[in-house]
Amino acid sequence: MKVIAINSSARKDGNTAILINQIFEELNKEGIETEMIQLAGQVIEPL
């Protein structure tokens, strides 16, 4: 199993990322693969 978190907070390594990483630590202890996608600093334009 793999868990992906999408962090859309304006601050790349802010409080939201810290909380996601705490959850990921527990999931990793159980052998669950994790990945975080951070949108801060990305330019997202409409098509």
Side-chain angles (χ1 to χ4, degrees):
M1 177 186 284
K2 183 172 186 175
V3 174
I4 298 174
I6 300 173
N7 181 5
S8 61
S9 174
R11 296 185 333 169
K12 184 175 181 178
D13 294 317
N15 292 332
T16 304
I18 292 168
L19 290 172
I20 291 171
N21 283 324
Q22 287 180 343
I23 293 168
F24 279 1
E25 285 179 22
E26 296 301 317
L27 292 172
N28 290 330
K29 287 179 187 176
E30 299 297 322
I32 298 171
E33 187 179 354
T34 58
E35 179 181 351
M36 180 171 18
I37 299 170
Q38 299 216 41
L39 299 181
Q42 300 294 321
V43 177
I44 302 172
E45 298 180 6
L47 296 176

